[in-house]
Amino acid sequence: MTHTPHFPLSAVVGADDLKLALCLAAIDPKIGGVLIEGPRGIAKSTLARGLADLLASGQFVTLPLGATEERLVGTLDLDAALGEGRAQFSPGVLAKADGGVLYVDEVNLLPDHLVDLLLDVAASGTNLIERDGISHRHPARFVLIGTMNPEEGELRPQLLDRFGLNVALDGHTAPAERGQIIRRRLDFDSDPLAFCGQWEMAQQQLRERCQQARDRLAGIALDDGALAQITERCFAAGVDGLRADLVWLRAARAHAAWRGADAIADEDIEAVGEFALRHRRRGHSAPAPSQAPTGAGAEKTAEPNEGQGQWGDLPARTLPTGARRDVPIWPKKR
């Protein structure tokens, strides 16, 4: 089985916030993974796959686009059923991702029934299959990495909250940096093995730093002082639920381990705060309200479709339906 090389994370130009978030997820998988948002063509998938080389163990498994429910959870092994007449379980993507990373590209375009399955497994850490004459249960604990373009649709709030960290990439890159990105991509495409060899030393240093941080992680306390500061700021941010507090504290500890420190400091809390809060603030998916003009020109110009969807805000206006007709006056009965 041939190994397809991934673009080295150390060779990626810019995207420092995302590279940090991916390293933190590799240091402490209990953070809960990373959701990467951004427009098309900014290497979201390339960055996500760069995490594969930093994992302590487990596989980097991709959920294929258009995957069926059977492909995700597993199903009956037809060869064993037809050839040997016995019911045998054929593992799916969730079984292969156990202990590693499950990568979902365009996660916001997943069908609802697959989202429901992911939610259930992510919450329980167990995949239970009862179908086609088989009943099978297996562990499915994985780091969930997803990419999405917000212009193509929002992510369901239940699944959105399951991602520990959220990073948004900006598609506006300076010309000099754009040229450097294109040059490195062309070099990788022309000879992936030679390119990876060129960056092997930097990549090895990144792997060693992640491993040292993992070894140091258990010795860093989740202290009450850091927790008090985080809970106050989560309350002030108006986030729903308590997952933001837990994720923020774990990420701050992982960042302290990444720095080589022995305790969580204010700089660790600040460094990861936006990662934990961005997708959990109330109204995250709502568009920013436009400010009404003031002064001259403040009169509102009516649009052809204005008012649709706003029934009940104003009384309906009467419209002429034809020439007016006089109603005859009949004499009163005596």
Side-chain angles (χ1 to χ4, degrees), residues 7 46 180-190 195:
F7 194 93
T46 298
Q180 194 176 9
I181 293 170
I182 297 302
R183 173 52 58 194
R184 291 188 185 180
R185 186 71 220 189
L186 291 174
D187 291 344
F188 175 79
D189 291 340
S190 62
F195 184 85

Side-chain angles (χ1 to χ4, degrees), residues 158-222:
Q158 297 91 336
L159 185 56
L160 182 67
D161 190 50
R162 284 291 168 185
F163 287 96
L165 308 178
N166 177 218
V167 180
L169 297 178
D170 186 3
H172 302 287
T173 308
E177 200 171 81
R178 293 170 77 97
Q180 194 176 9
I181 293 170
I182 297 302
R183 173 52 58 194
R184 291 188 185 180
R185 186 71 220 189
L186 291 174
D187 291 344
F188 175 79
D189 291 340
S190 62
D191 193 343
L193 293 177
F195 184 85
C196 291
Q198 178 184 353
W199 286 92
E200 177 56 31
M201 182 175 294
Q203 194 69 9
Q204 180 61 29
Q205 291 175 351
L206 189 58
R207 284 193 295 265
E208 290 177 356
R209 185 174 180 181
C210 287
Q211 184 57 52
Q212 291 169 1
R214 278 190 290 266
D215 295 339
R216 190 179 294 109
L217 189 67
I220 300 177
L222 297 168

Side-chain angles (χ1 to χ4, degrees), residues 279-304:
H279 56 311
R280 293 187 172 92
R281 291 190 182 97
R282 292 177 186 171
H284 163 73
S285 302
S290 57
Q291 293 188 358
T294 57
E299 288 82 10
K300 190 175 179 182
T301 303
E303 298 293 336

Side-chain angles (χ1 to χ4, degrees), residues 112-324:
D112 284 345
H113 67 285
L114 295 187
V115 171
D116 293 336
L117 288 170
L118 273 179
L119 284 171
D120 183 56
V121 175
S124 64
T126 302
N127 183 30
L128 174 62
I129 307 97
E130 292 182 338
R131 59 189 306 170
D132 300 328
I134 60 173
S135 179
H136 184 79
R137 181 193 302 267
H138 67 80
R141 299 187 180 276
F142 47 80
V143 177
L144 188 60
I145 303 293
T147 61
M148 62 174 283
N149 179 4
E151 296 176 356
E152 298 173 350
E154 297 294 337
L155 190 61
R156 282 175 53 181
Q158 297 91 336
L159 185 56
L160 182 67
D161 190 50
R162 284 291 168 185
F163 287 96
L165 308 178
N166 177 218
V167 180
L169 297 178
D170 186 3
H172 302 287
T173 308
E177 200 171 81
R178 293 170 77 97
Q180 194 176 9
I181 293 170
I182 297 302
R183 173 52 58 194
R184 291 188 185 180
R185 186 71 220 189
L186 291 174
D187 291 344
F188 175 79
D189 291 340
S190 62
D191 193 343
L193 293 177
F195 184 85
C196 291
Q198 178 184 353
W199 286 92
E200 177 56 31
M201 182 175 294
Q203 194 69 9
Q204 180 61 29
Q205 291 175 351
L206 189 58
R207 284 193 295 265
E208 290 177 356
R209 185 174 180 181
C210 287
Q211 184 57 52
Q212 291 169 1
R214 278 190 290 266
D215 295 339
R216 190 179 294 109
L217 189 67
I220 300 177
L222 297 168
D223 63 272
D224 293 337
L227 177 59
Q229 183 176 344
I230 287 172
T231 53
E232 288 178 3
R233 295 180 63 176
C234 285
F235 179 79
V239 298
D240 291 323
L242 300 175
R243 186 170 282 116
D245 309 61
L246 180 60
V247 167
W248 193 347
L249 186 61
R250 288 191 181 280
R253 182 176 66 165
H255 190 271
W258 170 255
R259 289 192 303 111
D262 297 326
I264 299 175
D266 290 345
E267 62 181 293
D268 302 311
I269 296 174
E270 293 293 337
V272 301
E274 187 61 19
F275 297 164
L277 290 180
R278 183 181 182 276
H279 56 311
R280 293 187 172 92
R281 291 190 182 97
R282 292 177 186 171
H284 163 73
S285 302
S290 57
Q291 293 188 358
T294 57
E299 288 82 10
K300 190 175 179 182
T301 303
E303 298 293 336
N305 295 326
E306 183 183 12
Q308 293 186 11
Q310 302 295 329
W311 298 100
D313 288 359
L314 294 172
R317 292 180 297 177
T318 58
L319 298 176
T321 58
R324 181 176 178 179

